[in-house]
Coordinates of all heavy atoms in Angstrom, one line a residue:
M1 N 101.1 -104.2 -37.6 CA 101.5 -103.1 -36.8 C 100.5 -102.8 -35.7 O 100.8 -102.5 -34.6 CB 101.8 -101.9 -37.6 CG 102.4 -100.7 -36.9 SD 104.1 -101.2 -36.4 CE 104.7 -99.7 -35.8
G2 N 99.2 -102.9 -36.0 CA 98.1 -102.7 -35.1 C 98.1 -103.7 -34.0 O 97.7 -103.4 -32.8
S3 N 98.3 -105.0 -34.3 CA 98.3 -106.0 -33.3 C 99.5 -105.9 -32.3 O 99.3 -106.2 -31.1 CB 98.3 -107.4 -33.9 OG 99.5 -107.6 -34.6
M4 N 100.6 -105.4 -32.7 CA 101.7 -105.2 -31.9 C 101.4 -104.1 -30.8 O 101.7 -104.2 -29.7 CB 103.0 -104.8 -32.7 CG 104.2 -104.7 -31.9 SD 104.6 -106.3 -31.2 CE 106.3 -106.1 -30.9
S5 N 100.8 -103.0 -31.3 CA 100.4 -101.9 -30.4 C 99.4 -102.4 -29.4 O 99.4 -101.9 -28.2 CB 100.0 -100.7 -31.1 OG 98.8 -100.9 -31.8
M6 N 98.5 -103.2 -29.8 CA 97.5 -103.8 -28.9 C 98.1 -104.6 -27.8 O 97.7 -104.6 -26.7 CB 96.5 -104.6 -29.7 CG 95.3 -105.1 -28.9 SD 94.4 -103.8 -28.2 CE 92.9 -104.0 -29.1
I7 N 99.1 -105.4 -28.2 CA 99.8 -106.3 -27.2 C 100.5 -105.4 -26.2 O 100.5 -105.6 -25.0 CB 100.8 -107.3 -27.9 CG1 100.0 -108.3 -28.7 CG2 101.7 -107.9 -26.9 CD1 100.8 -109.2 -29.5
I8 N 101.2 -104.4 -26.7 CA 101.9 -103.4 -25.8 C 100.9 -102.7 -24.8 O 101.2 -102.6 -23.6 CB 102.7 -102.4 -26.6 CG1 103.9 -103.1 -27.3 CG2 103.3 -101.3 -25.7 CD1 104.6 -102.3 -28.3
L9 N 99.8 -102.3 -25.3 CA 98.8 -101.7 -24.5 C 98.3 -102.7 -23.4 O 98.1 -102.3 -22.3 CB 97.6 -101.2 -25.4 CG 96.5 -100.5 -24.7 CD1 97.0 -99.2 -24.1 CD2 95.4 -100.2 -25.6
M10 N 98.0 -103.9 -23.8 CA 97.6 -104.9 -22.8 C 98.6 -105.2 -21.7 O 98.3 -105.2 -20.5 CB 97.2 -106.2 -23.5 CG 96.1 -106.2 -24.4 SD 94.6 -106.2 -23.6 CE 94.3 -108.0 -23.7
V11 N 99.9 -105.3 -22.1 CA 100.9 -105.5 -21.1 C 101.0 -104.3 -20.2 O 101.2 -104.4 -19.0 CB 102.3 -105.7 -21.8 CG1 103.5 -105.7 -20.9 CG2 102.3 -107.1 -22.5
A12 N 100.9 -103.1 -20.7 CA 101.0 -101.9 -19.9 C 99.8 -101.8 -19.0 O 100.0 -101.4 -17.8 CB 101.0 -100.6 -20.8
L13 N 98.6 -102.2 -19.4 CA 97.4 -102.2 -18.6 C 97.6 -103.2 -17.4 O 97.2 -102.9 -16.3 CB 96.2 -102.5 -19.4 CG 94.9 -102.4 -18.7 CD1 94.6 -101.0 -18.2 CD2 93.8 -102.9 -19.6
I14 N 98.1 -104.4 -17.7 CA 98.3 -105.4 -16.7 C 99.4 -104.9 -15.7 O 99.2 -105.1 -14.5 CB 98.7 -106.8 -17.3 CG1 97.5 -107.3 -18.1 CG2 99.2 -107.7 -16.3 CD1 97.8 -108.5 -18.9
A15 N 100.4 -104.3 -16.1 CA 101.5 -103.8 -15.2 C 100.9 -102.7 -14.4 O 101.2 -102.6 -13.2 CB 102.6 -103.2 -16.0
L16 N 100.1 -101.8 -14.9 CA 99.4 -100.8 -14.1 C 98.5 -101.4 -13.1 O 98.5 -100.9 -11.9 CB 98.6 -99.8 -15.1 CG 97.9 -98.7 -14.4 CD1 98.9 -97.7 -13.8 CD2 97.0 -98.0 -15.4
M17 N 97.7 -102.4 -13.4 CA 96.9 -103.0 -12.4 C 97.7 -103.6 -11.3 O 97.3 -103.6 -10.1 CB 96.0 -104.1 -13.1 CG 94.8 -103.5 -13.9 SD 93.8 -104.8 -14.7 CE 93.6 -106.0 -13.4
Y18 N 98.8 -104.2 -11.6 CA 99.6 -104.9 -10.6 C 100.1 -103.8 -9.6 O 100.1 -104.0 -8.4 CB 100.8 -105.6 -11.3 CG 101.8 -106.1 -10.3 CD1 101.5 -107.3 -9.5 CD2 103.0 -105.4 -10.0 CE1 102.4 -107.8 -8.6 CE2 103.9 -105.9 -9.1 CZ 103.6 -107.1 -8.4 OH 104.5 -107.5 -7.4
F19 N 100.7 -102.7 -10.2 CA 101.3 -101.7 -9.3 C 100.2 -100.9 -8.5 O 100.5 -100.3 -7.5 CB 102.2 -100.8 -10.1 CG 103.5 -101.4 -10.4 CD1 103.8 -101.8 -11.7 CD2 104.4 -101.6 -9.4 CE1 105.1 -102.4 -11.9 CE2 105.7 -102.2 -9.6 CZ 106.0 -102.6 -10.9
M20 N 99.0 -100.8 -9.0 CA 98.0 -100.0 -8.4 C 97.1 -100.8 -7.4 O 96.6 -100.3 -6.4 CB 97.1 -99.4 -9.4 CG 97.8 -98.3 -10.3 SD 98.4 -97.0 -9.4 CE 97.0 -96.0 -9.1
M21 N 97.0 -102.2 -7.6 CA 96.0 -102.9 -6.8 C 96.7 -104.1 -6.1 O 96.6 -104.2 -4.9 CB 94.9 -103.5 -7.6 CG 94.0 -102.4 -8.2 SD 92.4 -102.8 -8.9 CE 92.8 -104.2 -9.9
I22 N 97.4 -104.9 -6.8 CA 97.9 -106.2 -6.2 C 99.1 -105.9 -5.3 O 99.1 -106.4 -4.1 CB 98.3 -107.2 -7.3 CG1 97.0 -107.5 -8.1 CG2 98.9 -108.4 -6.7 CD1 97.3 -108.3 -9.4
R23 N 100.0 -105.1 -5.7 CA 101.2 -104.8 -4.9 C 100.9 -104.2 -3.5 O 101.4 -104.6 -2.5 CB 102.2 -104.0 -5.7 CG 103.5 -103.8 -5.0 CD 104.6 -103.3 -5.9 NE 105.8 -103.0 -5.3 CZ 106.4 -101.9 -5.2 NH1 105.9 -100.8 -5.9 NH2 107.5 -101.7 -4.6
P24 N 100.1 -103.1 -3.5 CA 99.7 -102.5 -2.2 C 99.0 -103.5 -1.2 O 99.2 -103.5 0.0 CB 98.8 -101.3 -2.5 CG 99.2 -101.0 -3.9 CD 99.6 -102.3 -4.6
Q25 N 98.2 -104.4 -1.8 CA 97.4 -105.3 -1.0 C 98.4 -106.3 -0.3 O 98.3 -106.6 0.8 CB 96.4 -106.1 -1.8 CG 95.6 -107.0 -1.0 CD 94.5 -107.8 -1.9 OE1 94.6 -107.6 -3.1 NE2 93.7 -108.5 -1.3
K26 N 99.4 -106.8 -1.1 CA 100.4 -107.7 -0.6 C 101.2 -107.0 0.5 O 101.6 -107.6 1.5 CB 101.2 -108.3 -1.7 CG 100.5 -109.3 -2.5 CD 101.4 -110.0 -3.5 CE 100.7 -111.0 -4.2 NZ 101.5 -111.9 -5.0
K27 N 101.5 -105.8 0.3 CA 102.3 -105.0 1.3 C 101.6 -104.9 2.6 O 102.1 -105.0 3.6 CB 102.6 -103.6 0.7 CG 103.7 -102.9 1.3 CD 103.9 -101.6 0.6 CE 105.3 -101.1 0.7 NZ 105.6 -99.8 0.0
E28 N 100.3 -104.6 2.5 CA 99.4 -104.5 3.7 C 99.3 -105.8 4.4 O 99.3 -105.9 5.6 CB 98.0 -104.0 3.3 CG 97.1 -103.9 4.5 CD 97.5 -102.8 5.5 OE1 98.3 -102.0 5.2 OE2 96.9 -102.9 6.6
Q29 N 99.2 -106.9 3.7 CA 99.1 -108.3 4.3 C 100.4 -108.6 5.0 O 100.4 -109.1 6.1 CB 98.9 -109.3 3.2 CG 97.5 -109.4 2.7 CD 97.3 -110.3 1.6 OE1 98.2 -110.8 1.0 NE2 96.0 -110.7 1.3
K30 N 101.6 -108.2 4.5 CA 102.9 -108.4 5.1 C 103.0 -107.6 6.4 O 103.5 -108.1 7.4 CB 104.0 -108.1 4.2 CG 104.3 -109.1 3.1 CD 105.5 -108.8 2.3 CE 105.7 -109.8 1.2 NZ 106.8 -109.4 0.3
R31 N 102.5 -106.4 6.4 CA 102.5 -105.5 7.5 C 101.6 -106.1 8.7 O 102.0 -106.1 9.8 CB 102.0 -104.1 7.2 CG 102.2 -103.1 8.3 CD 101.4 -101.8 8.0 NE 100.0 -102.0 8.0 CZ 99.2 -102.0 9.1 NH1 99.7 -102.0 10.3 NH2 97.9 -102.1 9.0
M32 N 100.4 -106.5 8.3 CA 99.5 -107.1 9.3 C 100.1 -108.4 9.9 O 100.0 -108.6 11.1 CB 98.2 -107.4 8.7 CG 97.3 -106.2 8.5 SD 96.8 -105.4 10.0 CE 95.7 -106.6 10.6
Q33 N 100.7 -109.2 9.0 CA 101.3 -110.5 9.5 C 102.5 -110.2 10.5 O 102.6 -110.8 11.5 CB 101.8 -111.3 8.3 CG 102.3 -112.7 8.7 CD 101.2 -113.6 9.3 OE1 100.1 -113.5 9.0 NE2 101.6 -114.4 10.2
A34 N 103.3 -109.2 10.1 CA 104.4 -108.8 11.0 C 103.9 -108.3 12.3 O 104.5 -108.6 13.4 CB 105.3 -107.8 10.3
M35 N 102.8 -107.5 12.3 CA 102.3 -106.9 13.5 C 101.7 -108.0 14.4 O 102.0 -108.0 15.6 CB 101.1 -105.9 13.2 CG 100.4 -105.3 14.3 SD 99.0 -104.3 13.9 CE 97.9 -105.6 13.4
L36 N 101.0 -109.0 13.8 CA 100.4 -110.1 14.6 C 101.5 -111.0 15.1 O 101.3 -111.6 16.2 CB 99.4 -110.8 13.8 CG 98.1 -110.0 13.5 CD1 97.2 -110.8 12.6 CD2 97.4 -109.5 14.8
S37 N 102.6 -111.2 14.4 CA 103.6 -112.1 14.9 C 104.4 -111.5 16.0 O 105.0 -112.2 16.8 CB 104.5 -112.5 13.7 OG 105.2 -111.4 13.2
A38 N 104.4 -110.2 16.1 CA 105.1 -109.5 17.2 C 104.3 -109.2 18.4 O 104.7 -108.6 19.3 CB 105.7 -108.1 16.6
L39 N 103.0 -109.7 18.3 CA 102.1 -109.5 19.4 C 102.6 -110.2 20.7 O 103.0 -111.4 20.6 CB 100.7 -110.1 19.0 CG 99.5 -109.8 19.9 CD1 99.2 -108.3 20.0 CD2 98.3 -110.5 19.4
E40 N 102.5 -109.5 21.8 CA 103.0 -110.1 23.1 C 102.0 -109.9 24.2 O 101.1 -109.0 24.0 CB 104.3 -109.5 23.5 CG 105.5 -109.8 22.5 CD 106.7 -109.0 23.0 OE1 106.6 -108.1 23.8 OE2 107.8 -109.4 22.5
I41 N 102.1 -110.6 25.2 CA 101.2 -110.4 26.4 C 101.5 -109.0 27.0 O 102.6 -108.6 27.1 CB 101.4 -111.5 27.4 CG1 101.0 -112.9 26.9 CG2 100.7 -111.2 28.7 CD1 101.3 -114.0 27.7
G42 N 100.4 -108.3 27.3 CA 100.6 -107.0 27.8 C 100.4 -105.9 26.8 O 100.3 -104.7 27.2
D43 N 100.4 -106.2 25.5 CA 100.2 -105.2 24.5 C 98.7 -104.7 24.5 O 97.8 -105.5 24.7 CB 100.5 -105.8 23.1 CG 102.0 -106.0 22.9 OD1 102.8 -105.6 23.7 OD2 102.3 -106.7 21.9
A44 N 98.6 -103.4 24.3 CA 97.3 -102.8 24.1 C 96.9 -103.0 22.7 O 97.7 -102.8 21.8 CB 97.3 -101.3 24.5
V45 N 95.6 -103.4 22.4 CA 95.1 -103.7 21.1 C 93.8 -103.0 20.8 O 93.1 -102.7 21.8 CB 95.0 -105.2 20.8 CG1 96.3 -105.9 20.9 CG2 93.9 -105.8 21.7
V46 N 93.5 -102.7 19.6 CA 92.2 -102.2 19.1 C 91.7 -103.3 18.2 O 92.4 -103.7 17.2 CB 92.3 -100.9 18.4 CG1 91.0 -100.4 17.9 CG2 93.0 -99.9 19.3
T47 N 90.5 -103.7 18.4 CA 89.9 -104.8 17.5 C 89.3 -104.1 16.3 O 89.1 -102.9 16.2 CB 88.8 -105.6 18.3 OG1 87.7 -104.7 18.6 CG2 89.4 -106.2 19.5
N48 N 88.9 -104.9 15.3 CA 88.3 -104.4 14.1 C 86.9 -103.7 14.4 O 86.5 -102.9 13.7 CB 88.0 -105.5 13.1 CG 89.3 -106.0 12.5 OD1 90.3 -105.2 12.4 ND2 89.3 -107.2 12.0
S49 N 86.3 -104.1 15.5 CA 85.0 -103.5 15.9 C 85.2 -102.3 16.7 O 84.2 -101.7 17.1 CB 84.1 -104.6 16.6 OG 84.8 -105.1 17.7
G50 N 86.4 -101.9 17.1 CA 86.7 -100.7 17.8 C 86.8 -100.8 19.3 O 86.9 -99.8 20.0
F51 N 86.9 -102.0 19.8 CA 87.1 -102.2 21.3 C 88.6 -102.1 21.6 O 89.4 -102.7 20.9 CB 86.6 -103.6 21.7 CG 85.1 -103.7 21.7 CD1 84.5 -104.5 20.7 CD2 84.3 -102.9 22.5 CE1 83.1 -104.6 20.7 CE2 82.9 -103.0 22.5 CZ 82.3 -103.9 21.5
Y52 N 88.9 -101.5 22.7 CA 90.3 -101.4 23.2 C 90.4 -102.4 24.3 O 89.6 -102.6 25.2 CB 90.5 -100.0 23.8 CG 90.6 -98.9 22.8 CD1 89.4 -98.3 22.3 CD2 91.8 -98.5 22.3 CE1 89.4 -97.3 21.4 CE2 91.8 -97.5 21.3 CZ 90.6 -96.9 20.9 OH 90.7 -95.9 19.9
G53 N 91.6 -103.1 24.3 CA 91.8 -104.1 25.4 C 93.3 -104.4 25.5 O 94.2 -103.8 24.8
V54 N 93.6 -105.3 26.4 CA 95.0 -105.7 26.7 C 95.1 -107.2 26.5 O 94.2 -107.9 27.1 CB 95.4 -105.3 28.1 CG1 96.8 -105.8 28.5 CG2 95.3 -103.8 28.3
V55 N 96.1 -107.7 25.8 CA 96.3 -109.1 25.6 C 96.8 -109.7 26.9 O 97.8 -109.3 27.5 CB 97.3 -109.3 24.5 CG1 97.6 -110.8 24.3 CG2 96.8 -108.7 23.2
I56 N 96.1 -110.8 27.3 CA 96.6 -111.5 28.5 C 97.0 -112.9 28.3 O 97.6 -113.5 29.1 CB 95.5 -111.5 29.6 CG1 94.2 -112.1 29.1 CG2 95.2 -110.1 30.1 CD1 93.2 -112.4 30.2
D57 N 96.7 -113.5 27.1 CA 97.1 -114.8 26.7 C 97.1 -114.9 25.2 O 96.3 -114.4 24.5 CB 96.3 -115.9 27.3 CG 96.8 -117.3 27.2 OD1 98.1 -117.4 27.1 OD2 96.1 -118.3 27.3
I58 N 98.1 -115.7 24.7 CA 98.2 -115.9 23.2 C 98.4 -117.4 22.9 O 99.2 -118.0 23.6 CB 99.5 -115.1 22.7 CG1 99.4 -113.6 23.0 CG2 99.6 -115.4 21.2 CD1 100.6 -112.9 22.6
T59 N 97.6 -117.8 21.9 CA 97.8 -119.2 21.4 C 98.2 -119.0 19.9 O 98.4 -117.9 19.4 CB 96.5 -120.0 21.5 OG1 95.5 -119.4 20.8 CG2 96.1 -120.2 23.0
E60 N 98.2 -120.1 19.2 CA 98.6 -120.1 17.8 C 97.7 -119.2 16.9 O 98.1 -118.4 16.2 CB 98.6 -121.5 17.2 CG 99.4 -121.7 16.0 CD 100.9 -121.4 16.2 OE1 101.5 -121.7 17.3 OE2 101.5 -120.9 15.2
E61 N 96.4 -119.4 17.1 CA 95.4 -118.7 16.2 C 94.6 -117.7 17.0 O 94.0 -116.8 16.4 CB 94.4 -119.7 15.6 CG 95.0 -120.6 14.6 CD 95.4 -119.9 13.3 OE1 94.7 -119.0 12.9 OE2 96.5 -120.2 12.7
D62 N 94.5 -117.8 18.3 CA 93.6 -117.0 19.1 C 94.4 -116.2 20.2 O 95.6 -116.5 20.5 CB 92.6 -117.8 19.9 CG 91.7 -118.6 18.9 OD1 91.5 -118.2 17.8 OD2 91.3 -119.8 19.3
V63 N 93.8 -115.1 20.7 CA 94.3 -114.4 21.8 C 93.1 -114.2 22.8 O 92.0 -114.2 22.4 CB 94.8 -113.0 21.4 CG1 96.0 -113.1 20.5 CG2 93.8 -112.2 20.7
I64 N 93.5 -114.0 24.1 CA 92.5 -113.6 25.1 C 92.7 -112.2 25.4 O 93.9 -111.8 25.8 CB 92.5 -114.5 26.3 CG1 92.2 -116.0 25.9 CG2 91.6 -114.1 27.4 CD1 92.3 -117.0 27.0
V65 N 91.7 -111.4 25.3 CA 91.9 -109.9 25.5 C 91.0 -109.5 26.7 O 89.8 -109.9 26.8 CB 91.5 -109.1 24.2 CG1 91.6 -107.6 24.4 CG2 92.3 -109.6 23.0
E66 N 91.6 -108.7 27.5 CA 90.8 -108.2 28.7 C 90.4 -106.8 28.4 O 91.2 -105.9 28.0 CB 91.8 -108.2 29.9 CG 91.1 -107.8 31.2 CD 92.1 -107.9 32.3 OE1 93.0 -107.1 32.4 OE2 92.0 -108.9 33.0
F67 N 89.1 -106.5 28.5 CA 88.5 -105.2 28.1 C 88.1 -104.4 29.4 O 87.6 -105.0 30.3 CB 87.3 -105.4 27.3 CG 87.6 -106.0 25.9 CD1 87.4 -107.4 25.7 CD2 88.1 -105.2 24.9 CE1 87.7 -107.9 24.5 CE2 88.4 -105.8 23.7 CZ 88.2 -107.1 23.5
G68 N 88.4 -103.1 29.4 CA 88.0 -102.3 30.5 C 88.7 -102.5 31.8 O 89.7 -103.2 31.9
N69 N 88.2 -101.9 32.8 CA 88.8 -102.0 34.2 C 88.3 -103.3 34.9 O 88.9 -103.7 35.9 CB 88.4 -100.8 35.0 CG 89.1 -99.6 34.5 OD1 90.1 -99.6 33.8 ND2 88.4 -98.4 34.7
N70 N 87.2 -103.9 34.4 CA 86.7 -105.1 35.0 C 87.6 -106.3 34.6 O 87.6 -106.7 33.5 CB 85.2 -105.3 34.5 CG 84.6 -106.4 35.2 OD1 85.2 -107.1 36.1 ND2 83.3 -106.6 34.9
K71 N 88.2 -106.9 35.6 CA 89.1 -108.0 35.4 C 88.4 -109.2 34.9 O 89.0 -110.2 34.5 CB 90.0 -108.2 36.6 CG 90.8 -107.1 37.1 CD 91.8 -106.7 36.0 CE 92.6 -105.5 36.5 NZ 93.5 -104.9 35.5
N72 N 87.1 -109.3 35.0 CA 86.3 -110.5 34.6 C 85.9 -110.4 33.2 O 85.3 -111.4 32.7 CB 85.1 -110.6 35.5 CG 85.5 -110.9 37.0 OD1 86.5 -111.5 37.2 ND2 84.7 -110.4 37.9
C73 N 86.2 -109.4 32.5 CA 85.8 -109.2 31.1 C 86.9 -109.6 30.2 O 87.6 -108.8 29.6 CB 85.3 -107.8 30.8 SG 84.6 -107.6 29.2
R74 N 87.1 -110.9 30.0 CA 88.1 -111.5 29.2 C 87.4 -112.3 28.1 O 86.6 -113.2 28.3 CB 89.0 -112.5 30.0 CG 89.7 -111.7 31.1 CD 90.5 -112.6 32.0 NE 91.2 -111.9 32.9 CZ 92.0 -112.4 33.8 NH1 92.2 -113.7 33.8 NH2 92.7 -111.6 34.7
I75 N 87.8 -111.9 26.8 CA 87.1 -112.5 25.7 C 88.2 -113.1 24.8 O 89.1 -112.4 24.3 CB 86.3 -111.4 24.9 CG1 85.3 -110.9 25.8 CG2 85.7 -112.0 23.7 CD1 84.5 -109.7 25.3
P76 N 88.0 -114.4 24.4 CA 88.9 -115.0 23.4 C 88.5 -114.6 22.0 O 87.3 -114.4 21.7 CB 88.7 -116.5 23.6 CG 87.4 -116.7 24.2 CD 87.1 -115.4 25.0
M77 N 89.4 -114.3 21.2 CA 89.1 -113.9 19.8 C 90.3 -114.3 18.9 O 91.4 -114.6 19.3 CB 88.9 -112.4 19.7 CG 90.1 -111.5 20.1 SD 89.8 -109.7 19.9 CE 88.2 -109.5 20.7
R78 N 90.0 -114.3 17.6 CA 91.0 -114.6 16.6 C 92.0 -113.5 16.5 O 91.7 -112.3 16.7 CB 90.3 -114.8 15.2 CG 89.5 -116.0 15.1 CD 90.3 -117.1 14.9 NE 89.6 -118.3 14.5 CZ 90.0 -119.5 14.5 NH1 91.2 -119.7 14.9 NH2 89.3 -120.5 14.1
K79 N 93.2 -113.8 16.1 CA 94.2 -112.8 15.9 C 93.9 -111.9 14.7 O 94.2 -110.7 14.7 CB 95.6 -113.4 15.6 CG 96.3 -114.0 16.8 CD 97.7 -114.5 16.4 CE 98.4 -115.0 17.7 NZ 99.8 -115.5 17.3
A80 N 93.1 -112.4 13.8 CA 92.7 -111.6 12.6 C 91.8 -110.5 13.0 O 91.6 -109.6 12.2 CB 92.1 -112.6 11.5
A81 N 91.2 -110.6 14.1 CA 90.2 -109.5 14.6 C 90.9 -108.3 15.1 O 90.3 -107.3 15.5 CB 89.2 -110.1 15.6
I82 N 92.3 -108.4 15.2 CA 93.0 -107.2 15.8 C 93.4 -106.3 14.7 O 94.0 -106.7 13.7 CB 94.2 -107.8 16.6 CG1 93.8 -108.6 17.8 CG2 95.1 -106.6 17.0 CD1 94.9 -109.2 18.5
A83 N 93.1 -105.0 14.8 CA 93.4 -104.0 13.8 C 94.6 -103.3 14.1 O 95.3 -102.8 13.2 CB 92.2 -103.1 13.7
Q84 N 95.0 -103.1 15.4 CA 96.1 -102.2 15.7 C 96.7 -102.7 17.0 O 96.0 -103.1 17.9 CB 95.6 -100.8 15.8 CG 96.7 -99.8 16.1 CD 96.1 -98.4 16.1 OE1 95.0 -98.2 15.9 NE2 97.0 -97.4 16.3
V85 N 98.0 -102.7 17.1 CA 98.7 -103.1 18.4 C 99.6 -101.9 18.8 O 100.3 -101.3 18.0 CB 99.6 -104.3 18.1 CG1 100.4 -104.7 19.3 CG2 98.8 -105.5 17.6
E86 N 99.6 -101.7 20.1 CA 100.4 -100.6 20.7 C 101.2 -101.3 21.9 O 100.6 -101.8 22.8 CB 99.6 -99.5 21.2 CG 100.4 -98.3 21.7 CD 99.6 -97.1 22.1 OE1 99.1 -96.4 21.2 OE2 99.4 -96.9 23.3
K87 N 102.5 -101.2 21.8 CA 103.4 -101.8 22.8 C 103.3 -100.9 24.1 O 103.1 -99.7 24.0 CB 104.8 -101.8 22.3 CG 105.0 -102.7 21.1 CD 104.8 -104.2 21.5 CE 105.1 -105.0 20.3 NZ 104.8 -106.4 20.5
P88 N 103.4 -101.5 25.3 CA 103.4 -100.7 26.5 C 104.4 -99.6 26.5 O 104.2 -98.5 27.0 CB 103.6 -101.7 27.6 CG 103.3 -103.0 27.0 CD 103.6 -102.9 25.5
E89 N 105.6 -99.8 26.0 CA 106.7 -98.8 26.0 C 106.2 -97.6 25.2 O 106.5 -96.4 25.5 CB 108.0 -99.3 25.4 CG 108.5 -100.5 26.2 CD 107.9 -101.9 25.7 OE1 107.7 -102.0 24.5 OE2 107.7 -102.7 26.5
E90 N 105.6 -97.8 24.0 CA 105.1 -96.8 23.2 C 104.0 -95.9 23.8 O 104.0 -94.7 23.8 CB 104.6 -97.3 21.8 CG 105.7 -98.0 21.0 CD 105.1 -98.7 19.8 OE1 103.8 -98.6 19.6 OE2 105.8 -99.3 19.0
A91 N 103.1 -96.6 24.5 CA 102.1 -95.9 25.2 C 102.6 -95.1 26.3 O 102.1 -93.9 26.6 CB 101.1 -97.0 25.8
A92 N 103.6 -95.6 27.1 CA 104.2 -94.8 28.1 C 104.9 -93.6 27.6 O 104.9 -92.5 28.2 CB 105.2 -95.7 28.9
A93 N 105.6 -93.7 26.5 CA 106.3 -92.6 25.8 C 105.3 -91.5 25.4 O 105.5 -90.3 25.6 CB 107.1 -93.0 24.7
V94 N 104.2 -91.9 24.8 CA 103.2 -90.9 24.4 C 102.6 -90.2 25.6 O 102.4 -89.0 25.6 CB 102.1 -91.6 23.5 CG1 100.9 -90.7 23.3 CG2 102.7 -92.1 22.2
T95 N 102.2 -91.0 26.7 CA 101.7 -90.4 27.9 C 102.6 -89.5 28.5 O 102.3 -88.4 29.0 CB 101.3 -91.5 28.8 OG1 100.4 -92.4 28.2 CG2 100.6 -91.0 30.1
E96 N 103.9 -89.8 28.6 CA 104.9 -89.0 29.2 C 105.1 -87.7 28.4 O 105.2 -86.6 28.9 CB 106.3 -89.7 29.2 CG 107.4 -89.0 29.9 CD 108.6 -89.8 29.9 OE1 108.6 -90.9 30.5 OE2 109.7 -89.3 29.4
K97 N 105.0 -87.8 27.1 CA 105.1 -86.6 26.2 C 103.9 -85.7 26.4 O 104.1 -84.5 26.5 CB 105.2 -87.0 24.8 CG 105.3 -85.9 23.8 CD 105.3 -86.4 22.4 CE 105.3 -85.3 21.4 NZ 105.1 -85.8 20.0
D98 N 102.7 -86.3 26.6 CA 101.5 -85.5 26.8 C 101.5 -84.8 28.1 O 100.9 -83.7 28.3 CB 100.3 -86.3 26.6 CG 100.1 -86.7 25.1 OD1 100.7 -86.1 24.3 OD2 99.3 -87.7 24.9
T99 N 102.0 -85.4 29.2 CA 102.0 -84.9 30.5 C 103.2 -84.0 30.9 O 103.3 -83.5 32.0 CB 101.8 -86.0 31.6 OG1 102.9 -86.9 31.5 CG2 100.5 -86.8 31.3
K100 N 104.1 -83.9 30.0 CA 105.3 -83.1 30.2 C 104.9 -81.6 30.4 O 104.2 -81.1 29.6 CB 106.3 -83.2 29.0 CG 107.6 -82.6 29.3 CD 108.5 -82.8 28.0 CE 109.7 -83.5 28.4 NZ 110.6 -83.6 27.2
P101 N 105.4 -81.0 31.5 CA 105.0 -79.6 31.8 C 105.6 -78.7 30.7 O 106.8 -78.9 30.3 CB 105.5 -79.3 33.1 CG 106.6 -80.3 33.4 CD 106.2 -81.5 32.6
T102 N 104.9 -77.7 30.3 CA 105.4 -76.7 29.4 C 105.7 -75.5 30.1 O 105.2 -75.1 31.1 CB 104.4 -76.4 28.3 OG1 103.2 -76.0 28.9 CG2 104.1 -77.7 27.5
D103 N 106.7 -74.7 29.5 CA 107.1 -73.4 30.1 C 106.1 -72.3 29.7 O 106.1 -71.9 28.6 CB 108.5 -73.1 29.7 CG 109.1 -72.0 30.4 OD1 108.6 -71.6 31.5 OD2 110.1 -71.4 29.9
T104 N 105.2 -72.0 30.7 CA 104.3 -70.9 30.4 C 104.4 -69.8 31.3 O 103.6 -69.6 32.2 CB 102.8 -71.5 30.5 OG1 102.7 -72.0 31.8 CG2 102.6 -72.6 29.4
K105 N 105.5 -69.1 31.1 CA 105.8 -67.9 32.0 C 104.9 -66.7 31.5 O 104.8 -66.5 30.3 CB 107.2 -67.5 31.9 CG 108.1 -68.5 32.6 CD 109.6 -68.1 32.5 CE 110.5 -69.1 33.2 NZ 111.9 -68.7 33.1
K106 N 104.4 -66.0 32.5 CA 103.6 -64.8 32.2 C 104.5 -63.6 32.2 O 105.3 -63.5 33.1 CB 102.4 -64.7 33.1 CG 101.4 -65.8 33.0 CD 100.3 -65.5 33.9 CE 99.2 -66.6 33.8 NZ 98.1 -66.4 34.7
K107 N 104.3 -62.7 31.3 CA 105.1 -61.5 31.2 C 104.4 -60.4 31.8 O 103.3 -60.2 31.7 CB 105.6 -61.3 29.8 CG 106.5 -62.3 29.3 CD 107.0 -61.9 27.9 CE 108.0 -63.0 27.5 NZ 108.5 -62.7 26.2

């Protein structure tokens, strides 16, 4: 009877480890892969090191990112170095929302 409860405890522990560690990691990998596969020219990106730039060329493994207002600052980097992607439409919608005038009538 004691060995049966030990086996059930081991199975429960392995299932707990799977749902707490392995499954979220795989979910994050799928999210990152989907984000990088949807990457297009003109998208604004943030690199893992915190630099903001715009994608100007894409190859199979690498991208060329333009940083800042200086058009000569173009750096090739791996796709894996990209932490976040923002589509130009999304950026325009956020900017439009922020600059929308509010009704501030004084009484």
